[in-house]
Amino acid sequence: MTDPYADDAARAQRLSKRFGRFMSTWRRWISRRPWLNTVYKVIVTTLGLLVVVIGLILVPLPGPGWLIVFIGLTILGTEYHWARRLLGWLRRVLARFWERWGAWRASRKARRAATQ
């Protein structure tokens, strides 16, 4: 049986390359105009902070609060190095958490199997 999603990664990579070329061309065009570069940076900062704040408000509520915070940090990371560093740190912490969570669940399952 073949995997219907086997070529999704390759398709996503082709799309991201095209999108990346478009964005780098567009960004170069904007950075050549100082006033437009300032406007762009203000818009990115405002949009990124707004998305982060909305995500933090949604964290205690049911829904994708942390996902929205990550999206906001990604938006801010397009312009600010501190946001890219913070996002990288959060990704590492989250990966460690899921690793420990999986190990804890596996050990719990093994203990249950041993007692039965």
Side-chain angles (χ1 to χ4, degrees), residues 69-79 83 87 91:
V69 170
F70 281 127
I71 291 170
L73 284 173
T74 303
I75 292 170
L76 287 171
T78 61
E79 288 300 311
L87 190 59
R91 285 180 179 161

Side-chain angles (χ1 to χ4, degrees), residues 46-64:
T46 306
L47 181 66
L49 286 176
L50 183 68
V51 172
V52 167
V53 168
I54 289 171
L56 288 174
I57 290 170
L58 291 176
V59 165
L61 301 174

Side-chain angles (χ1 to χ4, degrees), residues 10-116:
R11 190 177 311 134
Q13 188 174 17
R14 285 192 308 269
L15 178 64
S16 69
K17 282 183 182 177
R18 249 185 289 154
F19 184 70
R21 279 194 306 266
F22 168 76
M23 289 304 292
S24 64
T25 303
W26 187 60
R27 190 65 185 107
R28 275 194 309 271
W29 185 81
I30 286 176
S31 61
R32 278 185 257 144
R33 293 152 180 83
W35 66 273
L36 192 57
N37 194 29
T38 304
V39 169
Y40 175 78
K41 204 161 194 160
V42 167
I43 290 172
V44 167
T45 302
T46 306
L47 181 66
L49 286 176
L50 183 68
V51 172
V52 167
V53 168
I54 289 171
L56 288 174
I57 290 170
L58 291 176
V59 165
L61 301 174
W66 284 113
L67 177 64
I68 294 173
V69 170
F70 281 127
I71 291 170
L73 284 173
T74 303
I75 292 170
L76 287 171
T78 61
E79 288 300 311
Y80 299 105
H81 185 64
W82 61 266
R84 281 191 297 273
R85 284 194 334 248
L86 179 62
L87 190 59
W89 178 78
L90 284 172
R91 285 180 179 161
R92 286 191 302 275
V93 167
L94 189 62
R96 247 181 296 157
F97 168 76
W98 284 117
E99 213 173 277
R100 289 177 183 166
W101 176 261
W104 177 77
R105 290 198 55 185
S107 67
R108 193 176 90 181
K109 189 182 235 184
R111 279 195 313 263
R112 279 191 184 162
T115 59
Q116 291 178 353

